[in-house]
């Protein structure tokens, strides 16, 4: 993931609000990066732009070596179905579907066949420790389990890039720690690039690199030797 002088200006009424201010960033494939900073500093804006959920006002974003400058909505949809997994603070599971149906959803959208889907869903639910909950609906799960189901759904298509926006924000500290440990495990096993937005210092410390943001800018980067040595 590479950003070159990326800015995002929101217009609200006649006001212009700078969400992101000329951010340049080059993230090495397979690293786990955390972004921390006060509310309103641009963390979600950054992730939304990388996910193609919003477009930059200026600057350019590259995903897997490809410029997204001329991406259409269809190109972004394809990129998300193939290369990107997204985890939000609110789990956004479909309430009427079971856990396994929720997790199967992205594969069905890709047109994968039934046997592949079943195999992958079982595999990923085992990985996040939710196999025994496959047939349950989201409302029957704890918050931590719902977020693990959401992570399973985000990674079932084996994305190279995982974007997580405050994934522990709705969880108590015990379940929050579990979710961060799961992200760390994914980095160790599959080497995706993980971008984690968090206000939790403890969560950020699981990352290889910790970026601090302020007023739409990146202000510093800390290399987390402990996490890198563990990986
Ligand atoms: P964070 O995730 O770090 O809390 P955000 O990226 O959500 O911060 O927001 C950065 C700035 O952009 C804030 O000042 C916020 O109010 C503003 N902002 C975010 N989204 C919008 C929007 N859709 N319309 C107008 N302003 C927005
Ligand atoms: Mg946010």
């Amino acid at each position: 993931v590479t950003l070159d002088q990326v800015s995002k200006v929101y217009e609200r009424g006649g006001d212009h609000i700078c969400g992101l201010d000329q951010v340049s960033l080059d993230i090495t494939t397979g690293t786990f990066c955390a972004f921390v900073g006060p509310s309103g500093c641009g963390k979600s804006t950054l992730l939304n732009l990388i996910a193609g959920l919003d477009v930059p006002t200026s600057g350019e974003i590259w995903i897997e070596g490809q410029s997204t400058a001329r991406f259409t909505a269809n190109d972004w949809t394809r990129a998300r179905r193939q290369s990107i997994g997204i985890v939000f603070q609110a789990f956004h599971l479909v309430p009427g579907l079971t856990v396994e149906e929720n997790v199967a959803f992205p594969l069905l959208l890709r047109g994968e066949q039934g046997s592949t889907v079943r195999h992958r869903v079982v595999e990923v639910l085992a990985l996040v420790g939710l196999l025994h909950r496959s047939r349950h609906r989201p409302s029957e799960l704890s918050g931590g389990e719902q977020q693990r189901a959401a992570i399973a759904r985000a990674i079932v298509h084996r994305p190279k890039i995982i974007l997580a926006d405050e994934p522990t924000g709705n969880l108590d500290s015990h379940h929050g720690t579990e979710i961060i440990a799961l992200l760390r495990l994914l980095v160790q096993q599959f080497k995706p690039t993980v971008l984690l937005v968090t206000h939790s210092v403890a969560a950020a410390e699981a990352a290889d690199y910790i970026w601090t943001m302020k007023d739409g800018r990146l202000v510093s980067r800390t290399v987390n030797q402990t996490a890198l040595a563990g990986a």
Side-chain angles (χ1 to χ4, degrees):
V1 177
T2 303
L3 278 75
D4 183 25
Q5 300 273 314
V6 173
S7 296
K8 176 68 188 179
V9 179
Y10 296 104
E11 269 194 66
R12 199 191 273 152
D15 287 352
H16 293 260
I17 298 156
C18 191
L20 214 57
D21 188 8
Q22 306 218 331
V23 167
S24 295
L25 180 62
D26 197 358
I27 295 176
T28 308
T29 303
T31 58
F32 185 172
C33 300
F35 295 85
V36 297
S39 177
C41 71
K43 305 183 296 296
S44 295
T45 300
L46 175 71
L47 282 204
N48 290 344
L49 293 176
I50 295 171
L53 299 174
D54 210 343
V55 282
T57 310
S58 60
E60 195 164 352
I61 299 173
W62 281 265
I63 305 277
E64 298 192 277
Q66 199 179 5
S67 171
T68 63
R70 295 175 196 281
F71 265 26
T72 61
N74 279 343
D75 293 331
W76 274 115
T77 302
R78 195 175 319 119
R80 281 190 297 269
R81 280 182 193 167
Q82 285 171 1
S83 314
I84 302 175
I86 314 176
V87 183
F88 298 97
Q89 177 172 349
F91 320 121
H92 295 308
L93 295 164
V94 181
L97 299 182
T98 63
V99 167
E100 60 186 4
E101 289 166 346
N102 267 282
V103 174
F105 209 75
L107 296 180
L108 298 174
L109 286 176
R110 280 168 47 133
E112 303 276 2
Q113 296 306 305
S115 57
T116 311
V117 172
R118 274 191 298 279
H119 177 77
R120 286 274 193 96
V121 168
V122 167
E123 189 179 63
V124 80
L125 283 175
L127 180 71
V128 304
L130 271 188
L131 214 42
H132 62 302
R133 295 294 207 174
S134 302
R135 301 283 161 84
H136 288 248
R137 299 203 189 264
S139 61
E140 297 163 344
L141 305 183
S142 73
E145 287 171 333
Q146 288 185 53
Q147 191 59 299
R148 279 190 276 146
I151 290 177
R153 181 185 53 185
I155 63 170
V156 71
H157 59 302
R158 300 179 184 162
K160 298 248 177 63
I161 301 166
I162 299 174
L163 306 174
D165 193 351
E166 306 270 13
T168 65
N170 283 350
L171 304 175
D172 60 38
S173 66
H174 168 71
H175 288 114
T177 306
E178 264 180 22
I179 293 298
I180 298 303
L182 178 57
L183 289 176
R184 185 79 236 168
L185 177 78
L186 295 176
V187 172
Q188 278 158 359
Q189 288 204 355
F190 306 107
K191 309 261 177 262
T193 304
V194 176
L195 277 68
L196 165 71
V197 158
T198 181
H199 57 254
S200 156
V201 175
E205 277 169 1
D208 304 320
Y209 301 98
I210 304 167
W211 291 92
T212 307
M213 294 183 68
K214 189 169 181 279
D215 300 332
R217 290 169 172 264
L218 296 173
V219 288
S220 69
R221 190 191 78 162
T222 311
V223 182
N224 189 354
Q225 298 295 354
T226 323
L228 273 174

